[in-house]
Amino acid sequence: MNSFFTVCVSLFSLNLIQCKIDNMNEKAYKTLEYDKIIARLAEHATSLPGKEVCKKLTPGTSLSEISRMQDETAAALGRIFQKGNVSFGSTYDIRASVKRLEIGSALGIHELLSVCKLLENAALAKNYGRFDRDDEAPDILTPLFSALEPLAGNAAEIRRCIISEDEIADDASSTLRSIRRNIRLSGDRIHTELTKIISSSARDYLQDSLITTRDGRYCIPVKAEYRNQVQGIVHDQSKTGSTFFIEPAAVVRLNNEIRELKIKEQQEIEVILARLSSELGEHTQLLMRDYHTLVELDFIFARAKLAVEHNATKPILSDDGILEIRRARHPLIPKKKVVPIDIRLGEDFDLLVITGPNTGGKTVSLKTAGLLTMMALSGLHIPAADRSRVSIFREVYADIGDEQSIEQSLSTFSSHMKNVVEFLDKADENSLVLFDELGAGTDPTEGAALAIAILNSLHERGIRTIATTHYSEIKIYALKTPGVENASCEFNVDTLSPTYRLLIGVPGKSNAFAISRKLGLNEYVIEAARELLTDQDESFEDVISDLERQRSTLEKERLEAESARKEINRLRAELEKEKKALADKKSHLISDSSQEAKRILQEAKDYADRTISYYAKHGGKESARELEKRREKLRGKMNALDKNIPGVTQEEKKQGTLKAEDLKIGDSVKVLSLGLKGTVETLPDARGSLFVMLGIMRTKVKLTDLEKIDEVEISAPNFKRSSSGKIRMAKSASVSTEINLLGKTVDEAVAELDKYLDDAAIAHLTQVRIVHGKGTGALRKGVQTYLRKNKHVAEFRLGEFGEGDAGVTIAKLKG
């Protein structure tokens, strides 16, 4: 109930927005091009009712109301960035349909589908409004989304009963399904009767052997000369008169039945529509609430989409009369061409006089200030930097452009003066007044005096005013009057082009002489014009030039200082970041090194303990070989792990000095990068690459990664030591991963398998394939019985599909 009350208050506020300023100077809408912004806003709405609300948007005067709208726009913008856009395109105006439901009328198919689409749109919007995470805080739009009631049951029932605007589903009711079944049966009987006629001797009377309909009744086409030969009712005749469409007497009764059933079908459809309407009639208040809520959401999200288009931000609103728009951009100028400007008014001064040459950007600056103010007061974000401030003005007056009227016999000056008279009469301290070329169009002396008097009148009344001018007298007035400030639009004389930057605090020059000289006007003409200037005029222009030079110098120095400050801050931040990163890395290295060293030592100790225990338990030559192998494995593991301990000094990576001619196939070598020994399989190619067998692994290495070793081949189960004390196993490079025992007795197979498994263990094979065949199963059973007792076998299993099935046993060896 509280949610419903919130929505009602919100919707009531929406109506206020559309008509809250009865006396707003609508001329300013067109002058400042506010109407174009509203047109763009309407384009972003996705429903027709939403577009209509957008078109009625006007600036407001209530600080709380405008702040609420700005918060709504910001919330919608955040949701768009987080979840993407949402559409309200299926929100149709159902107000007339709801009125009919309230008085008990039945809706038509089109109206019911419109209500259904609105309810489905409400369901989608409600789902969009839900937060994905529980920790997300509700925003100002949450009550609106929560207030939506999709009436899913009613929408589903409408969809079940109504297939399209032209078709009701057979299953809409059992009665309708029965009626349509009878219609089909009657139609089938008619086709049967007519087919008999067509197939009989009467086919000679027919124009074509086909069945057709006229006025909903089945007929056959009969030649005109035989029309009396076919008993029945004539329903139609061809244009040429050669064919009569006759309903044979045999099917008249069946056609009558179909006609009666069609009437019953239509009556049943009306009953279905009445039932669906009655069910909706119980929820008329919810339907209206869904409609108004969806329209308002469409309106809010249209404002957010406009903010995305303009890269706009939420302004800070106040009622203190201060206007401070930072890096403001006119929203109708292309983004690549517009030059951001800073506009200030109302804090240190309430009257701003902008001067400068024509086409320098004065009018654009004026329009930007007025348009962005009206946008902010309409709940729209403004194309400006963050923390821009806009005050609440009850009225915005703008006199911009040439408004001469032939019909009203008004000159340019007269039309401007008519606006001035109206502004002076209606404006107050809560108004913003904008003048473009005030006092132009008449005698310069009188025009300047009149302009100063008008501006001074507004200044004394505390009315916020911005005016553009060419008159030097107004510049002087601004220089000597407290609360009045000069500004200028920067102009590059060298390129004869404006920069469009607004410089507050510096009066502008017309630059007429410089521009004329650049365009090729004779120098003597320019000098003659200069002599006509009074000493006071020339002195004032010189002062302005000096001020501009000083301003440019100070601006350049300020930018350099700002750049240096930013660079210092950047370097300081990077230094702090690196310092913190080094401290963290040092801490982690110490911690990781300690833990890794403990782990390595413990692993080495455990492995050594196992090796010693193994030797003590088994003994003998074979155990010595095994012990030597384990010792080598331990040494390799220790060397490999030592390299990973941070802070441990490592020797430079070794690089072999072998040449291609130093090697031949079968030579023993050591792969330096792996610390493993192997046998040369191929000679080096042009790039110095060759293949080496490392146990059962064949790998490709570089010649520079090899070191030739001198080892004694072992050709018997006994072993010999090389001069270096290292052992080389003869079988390690030649043992196959498969043994074939087919055709052998169990004893022969076990003896051969025993020797094979010893060799496989020496060669460090991890898995072998034993082929024994299926046969009677005796050989398989004997092999597996032996495998259970063999010390090298960790586990075994029968082969799977693709491995040999039951004819093969796969054995995994211990490491």
Side-chain angles (χ1 to χ4, degrees):
M1 193 67 181
N2 292 334
S3 178
F4 178 69
F5 176 77
T6 302
V7 174
C8 290
V9 171
S10 183
L11 294 175
F12 177 71
S13 301
L14 178 60
N15 292 330
L16 287 179
I17 294 170
Q18 300 173 16
C19 57
K20 58 194 168 202
I21 305 180
D22 296 332
N23 298 321
M24 170 62 84
N25 176 24
E26 295 188 4
K27 183 187 294 185
Y29 295 166
K30 186 174 183 180
T31 301
L32 295 174
E33 300 178 291
Y34 176 79
D35 55 334
K36 294 182 180 179
I37 296 299
I38 294 302
R40 286 193 177 183
L41 174 66
E43 291 176 359
H44 288 292
T46 54
S47 68
L48 290 176
K51 291 181 183 294
E52 291 302 317
V53 174
C54 290
K55 292 176 182 177
K56 296 177 182 178
L57 178 63
T58 57
T61 58
S62 168
L63 178 59
S64 60
E65 187 64 31
I66 299 171
S67 297
R68 181 188 65 80
M69 291 181 65
Q70 288 288 356
D71 291 340
E72 289 174 344
T73 305
L77 187 61
R79 287 176 180 260
I80 288 175
F81 288 147
Q82 182 180 5
K83 298 184 177 182
N85 284 324
V86 59
S87 174
F88 303 92
S90 298
T91 304
Y92 298 100
D93 191 348
I94 62 169
R95 289 175 293 183
S97 300
V98 173
K99 288 290 185 184
R100 294 182 60 195
L101 290 175
E102 290 175 344
I103 62 176
S105 297
L107 303 183
I109 294 178
H110 175 76
E111 291 176 294
L112 286 170
L113 285 177
S114 295
V115 174
C116 179
K117 291 175 182 177
L118 181 137
L119 293 175
E120 290 171 342
N121 207 157
L124 293 173
K126 191 177 186 72
N127 185 61
Y128 176 88
R130 293 190 180 97
F131 289 106
D132 298 330
R133 301 193 309 272
D134 295 335
D135 59 345
E136 290 180 306
D139 57 25
I140 193 172
L141 300 182
T142 300
L144 288 174
F145 285 110
S146 300
L148 290 171
E149 182 51 60
L151 299 176
N154 295 84
E157 180 64 11
I158 293 174
R159 283 294 182 194
R160 187 185 71 83
C161 295
I162 303 177
I163 297 176
S164 67
E165 294 193 7
D166 302 319
E167 185 178 2
I168 301 294
D170 291 351
D171 293 333
S173 72
S174 58
T175 303
L176 181 63
R177 182 170 58 251
S178 176
I179 291 172
R180 288 182 173 175
R181 184 175 63 251
N182 290 333
I183 290 174
R184 288 192 293 272
L185 291 174
S186 297
D188 291 341
R189 288 198 294 271
I190 290 175
H191 274 79
T192 300
E193 289 295 331
L194 293 178
T195 300
K196 289 180 181 178
I197 295 173
I198 292 173
S199 302
S200 67
S201 58
R203 65 177 179 273
D204 295 333
Y205 306 150
L206 304 180
Q207 195 71 260
D208 292 296
S209 297
L210 56 82
I211 301 172
T212 184
T213 58
R214 287 295 185 274
D215 298 328
R217 302 180 75 87
Y218 289 97
C219 305
I220 56 176
V222 180
K223 297 177 181 178
E225 59 268 26
Y226 296 114
R227 66 180 181 274
N228 295 324
Q229 302 298 321
V230 179
Q231 297 298 316
I233 302 171
V234 177
H235 285 281
D236 198 4
Q237 183 180 6
S238 66
K239 292 181 180 181
T240 61
S242 61
T243 305
F244 283 80
F245 296 94
I246 298 175
E247 176 187 1
V251 298
V252 170
R253 182 182 60 81
L254 293 174
N255 268 327
N256 289 339
E257 288 181 3
I258 289 180
R259 179 61 60 88
E260 292 173 1
L261 289 171
K262 288 287 186 181
I263 294 173
K264 290 181 180 179
E265 178 189 31
Q266 189 58 41
Q267 291 173 345
E268 181 59 21
I269 289 175
E270 292 176 359
V271 170
I272 294 169
L273 297 180
R275 174 176 62 81
L276 294 174
S277 300
S278 176
E279 293 172 354
L280 286 176
E282 300 174 3
H283 308 288
T284 53
Q285 288 187 346
L286 291 178
L287 290 174
M288 287 304 297
R289 186 176 76 184
D290 283 349
Y291 168 74
H292 287 299
T293 303
L294 288 172
V295 171
E296 184 175 10
L297 284 171
D298 194 12
F299 173 51
I300 293 171
F301 275 85
R303 304 200 306 259
K305 293 172 188 175
L306 185 69
V308 174
E309 178 188 348
H310 292 153
N311 193 23
T313 61
K314 176 184 174 183
I316 299 173
L317 298 173
S318 65
D319 55 3
D320 54 9
I322 296 177
L323 184 68
E324 184 180 4
I325 307 179
R326 305 169 58 249
R327 297 189 63 77
R329 308 181 307 277
H330 196 290
L332 299 178
I333 298 177
K335 294 179 181 179
K336 293 183 179 180
K337 293 183 179 180
V338 67
V339 177
I341 59 174
D342 294 330
I343 303 172
R344 292 185 287 111
L345 184 69
E347 187 169 13
D348 300 325
F349 51 88
D350 55 30
L351 173 57
L352 183 64
V353 177
I354 304 176
T355 53
N358 289 328
T359 70
K362 301 190 303 298
T363 303
V364 171
S365 300
L366 200 65
K367 284 187 173 183
T368 301
L371 180 57
L372 266 58
T373 297
M374 296 181 79
M375 289 177 64
L377 301 186
S378 301
L380 303 175
H381 284 6
I382 60 175
D386 287 332
R387 302 188 305 281
S388 293
R389 299 172 59 187
V390 177
S391 181
I392 305 298
F393 295 106
R394 294 187 176 277
E395 187 63 87
V396 177
Y397 297 100
D399 178 50
I400 300 174
D402 187 357
E403 299 186 7
Q404 64 177 335
S405 172
I406 297 177
E407 294 179 357
Q408 300 180 12
S409 300
L410 295 176
S411 65
T412 299
F413 176 77
S414 299
S415 62
H416 284 302
M417 195 51 57
K418 182 181 178 181
N419 290 335
V420 171
V421 171
E422 179 184 359
F423 296 173
L424 291 176
D425 181 52
K426 295 181 178 180
D428 57 20
E429 65 276 6
N430 294 316
S431 301
L432 175 64
V433 181
L434 307 173
F435 290 118
D436 187 28
E437 301 294 351
L438 181 60
T442 187
D443 178 75
T445 303
E446 294 181 355
L450 194 58
I452 292 173
I454 294 169
L455 294 176
N456 194 58
S457 172
L458 293 170
H459 173 54
E460 290 178 347
R461 292 159 59 186
I463 300 174
R464 300 331 190 244
T465 307
I466 303 177
T468 68
T469 184
H470 283 289
Y471 295 137
S472 297
E473 293 86 345
I474 300 180
K475 302 177 192 177
I476 297 173
Y477 163 76
L479 284 172
K480 67 181 183 181
T481 306
V484 182
E485 186 63 86
N486 270 305
S488 61
C489 288
E490 192 176 51
F491 190 86
N492 190 325
V493 180
D494 295 331
T495 61
L496 291 183
S497 60
T499 64
Y500 300 107
R501 294 179 59 207
L502 182 65
L503 308 174
I504 296 178
V506 179
K509 289 184 61 178
S510 67
N511 293 303
F513 292 159
I515 293 174
S516 300
R517 179 181 293 107
K518 198 76 175 179
L519 293 175
L521 187 63
N522 289 333
E523 190 66 31
Y524 75 89
V525 176
I526 296 175
E527 288 301 321
R530 192 183 299 278
E531 291 176 0
L532 295 176
L533 288 175
T534 64
D535 292 341
Q536 183 178 357
D537 292 335
E538 192 167 2
S539 175
F540 181 73
E541 288 297 319
D542 290 341
V543 169
I544 292 178
S545 297
D546 290 340
L547 284 174
E548 176 62 19
R549 281 194 296 271
Q550 293 177 19
R551 184 206 63 78
S552 298
T553 301
L554 290 174
E555 178 71 7
K556 183 177 180 181
E557 292 175 353
R558 185 190 69 79
L559 291 176
E560 291 176 352
E562 180 70 14
S563 177
R565 184 185 64 81
K566 289 181 179 179
E567 181 66 15
I568 291 172
N569 289 338
R570 185 185 67 80
L571 293 174
R572 181 184 291 116
E574 289 183 357
L575 184 60
E576 289 295 329
K577 184 178 179 181
E578 290 179 1
K579 183 178 178 181
K580 184 177 182 303
L582 287 173
D584 293 342
K585 186 175 181 181
K586 179 180 178 182
S587 176
H588 290 153
L589 284 175
I590 293 174
S591 176
D592 293 347
S593 297
S594 176
Q595 293 178 5
E596 183 70 6
K598 289 180 181 178
R599 186 187 68 78
I600 292 170
L601 291 174
Q602 185 62 42
E603 183 177 343
K605 180 179 179 298
D606 293 342
Y607 193 87
D609 289 344
R610 289 196 301 271
T611 303
I612 294 171
S613 175
Y614 179 88
Y615 178 71
K617 182 178 179 180
H618 296 281
K621 293 184 178 180
E622 186 176 353
S623 297
R625 282 202 306 273
E626 187 67 24
L627 179 60
E628 182 66 17
K629 181 183 71 175
R630 289 172 178 266
R631 184 178 66 80
E632 287 295 324
K633 185 176 180 181
L634 176 61
R635 181 183 294 110
K637 184 177 295 187
M638 291 285 289
N639 292 336
L641 291 175
D642 278 346
K643 296 177 182 178
N644 295 327
I645 301 178
V648 177
T649 302
Q650 302 290 336
E651 295 182 3
E652 291 186 3
K653 184 177 178 181
K654 293 184 179 180
Q655 189 171 22
T657 58
L658 288 177
K659 298 180 181 179
E661 54 269 22
D662 296 336
L663 287 179
K664 62 179 182 295
I665 295 176
D667 282 352
S668 299
V669 291
K670 181 178 181 180
V671 181
L672 298 176
S673 59
L674 300 177
L676 298 176
K677 300 173 186 176
T679 305
V680 175
E681 282 282 306
T682 65
L683 293 177
D685 58 18
R687 297 183 178 179
S689 299
L690 66 154
F691 284 97
V692 175
M693 285 295 298
L694 302 174
I696 63 170
M697 180 176 66
R698 188 172 188 260
T699 184
K700 188 175 183 180
V701 298
K702 289 287 188 180
L703 181 62
T704 55
D705 194 25
L706 295 179
E707 181 181 67
K708 192 172 180 181
I709 57 177
D710 183 18
E711 292 189 340
V712 179
E713 295 282 347
I714 297 177
S715 58
N718 295 328
F719 65 91
K720 297 181 181 179
R721 293 183 181 272
S722 66
S723 57
S724 60
K726 297 183 180 179
I727 301 171
R728 183 181 189 282
M729 300 303 173
K731 299 290 185 179
S732 63
S734 60
V735 178
S736 172
T737 58
E738 178 183 305
I739 181 172
N740 190 338
L741 303 178
L742 293 174
K744 292 179 172 48
T745 65
V746 173
D747 292 336
E748 292 173 345
V750 168
E752 189 170 337
L753 181 60
D754 180 73
K755 181 178 182 300
Y756 170 74
L757 290 178
D758 286 340
D759 293 340
I762 293 173
H764 303 294
L765 298 185
T766 59
Q767 177 175 294
V768 295
R769 182 171 182 265
I770 305 169
V771 181
H772 44 63
K774 298 179 181 178
T776 62
L779 183 57
R780 179 180 69 245
K781 183 177 179 181
V783 166
Q784 293 185 350
T785 300
Y786 169 76
L787 291 177
R788 290 189 183 94
K789 301 176 182 179
N790 190 279
K791 63 181 180 181
H792 301 303
V793 178
E795 61 182 13
F796 62 90
R797 60 175 173 81
L798 285 176
E800 297 177 351
F801 179 77
E803 293 179 323
D805 296 321
V808 169
T809 294
I810 305 298
K812 291 187 178 180
L813 305 184
K814 296 177 182 179

